[in-house]
Amino acid sequence: MMTEINIPSLASLEYYAYVDDCGEVMADFEGKIGVYAIFDGDKVLQFVGYSRDVYLSLKQHLVRQPQCCYWVKVQTIERPQRQVLEDIENAWMIEDGAISITRSLCKEKWINPIDVRDLMTVEERNDYEYRAVDDLGKSRVLKGVARRVEGEILAVLKERGVNTQIRFNPKLKELGLLDLK
């Protein structure tokens, strides 16, 4: 049974700082189901999504796109109803006129783990393609690249003043992927 919900306009919602004065990712929405809109430093809409835990999703997006995550607007709902979440998401994109945001290829950068193969240096690529003679060697190269990229991400977050604990899944590093644990 579908319940009617009033979809608030994106413009009517309050902006929240993505990272608070203590350097923590806004935890007000930890464990909350909802739709969120992420804005850059100039309050230009960058991404609209929905989640069963808005806080965890916001943390994940900050790691994947730190240069785009400065402000957020959120609408929570009590029970997970995919259709309601999708309706709000679509209404906000139409309202903003940014329908292409989450339908474009850049959506992948927001929702998928970071693939470090795309970020290899020339030397790392040579090690991976020519010097690593087996799967174990390739895995070691990928893990090294993942550690380097992880360090770069953590440095950017530290520069932003982020103090929220960020922990990447160690098992995915061997596959060349970075995702929060």
Side-chain angles (χ1 to χ4, degrees):
M1 182 174 147
M2 177 77 172
T3 57
E4 285 295 314
I5 184 169
N6 265 345
I7 297 177
S9 71
L10 187 56
S12 71
L13 297 174
E14 177 182 350
Y15 282 102
Y16 293 95
Y18 211 98
V19 177
D20 68 20
D21 294 338
C22 297
E24 298 296 327
V25 173
M26 186 191 49
D28 294 5
F29 300 105
E30 189 167 2
K32 304 275 184 172
I33 302 160
V35 183
Y36 52 90
I38 298 173
F39 299 83
D40 66 13
D42 296 324
K43 295 185 177 175
V44 174
L45 183 65
Q46 298 296 309
F47 181 78
V48 178
Y50 59 86
S51 175
R52 288 179 171 263
D53 188 333
V54 171
Y55 171 76
L56 289 178
S57 293
L58 292 177
K59 209 166 130 176
Q60 192 77 264
H61 294 310
L62 181 63
V63 166
R64 294 176 183 156
Q65 298 290 317
Q67 70 285 1
C68 297
C69 300
Y70 282 85
W71 300 97
V72 64
K73 292 184 176 191
V74 179
Q75 175 63 46
T76 59
I77 64 173
E78 291 303 313
R79 293 193 324 264
Q81 296 178 18
R82 181 180 216 113
Q83 190 60 55
V84 170
L85 296 167
E86 288 175 353
D87 288 349
I88 296 170
E89 178 186 48
N90 289 330
W92 288 0
M93 287 189 297
I94 290 168
E95 175 186 342
D96 191 74
I99 296 169
S100 64
I101 286 177
T102 55
R103 295 198 182 135
S104 69
L105 289 177
C106 51
K107 181 177 183 180
E108 303 306 314
K109 291 180 180 180
W110 288 89
I111 63 172
N112 290 338
I114 298 166
D115 188 340
V116 300
R117 285 173 280 231
D118 299 336
L119 304 169
M120 286 181 170
T121 64
V122 172
E123 184 178 333
E124 289 167 339
R125 187 160 307 286
N126 283 336
D127 287 347
Y128 182 77
E129 292 178 1
Y130 304 114
R131 293 188 191 101
V133 294
D134 59 9
D135 288 343
L136 183 60
K138 289 185 183 300
S139 177
R140 284 187 183 135
V141 172
L142 288 175
K143 195 171 189 176
V145 176
R147 285 183 177 145
R148 176 185 58 78
V149 173
E150 175 183 4
E152 292 169 358
I153 291 167
L154 293 175
V156 167
L157 295 177
K158 184 177 181 182
E159 189 176 300
R160 281 262 319 260
V162 175
N163 293 321
T164 298
Q165 182 179 358
I166 304 294
R167 184 158 179 246
F168 289 91
N169 185 333
K171 293 179 180 178
L172 291 178
K173 290 178 188 176
E174 296 172 4
L175 303 173
L177 301 173
L178 284 176
D179 214 11
L180 295 185
K181 186 169 176 126

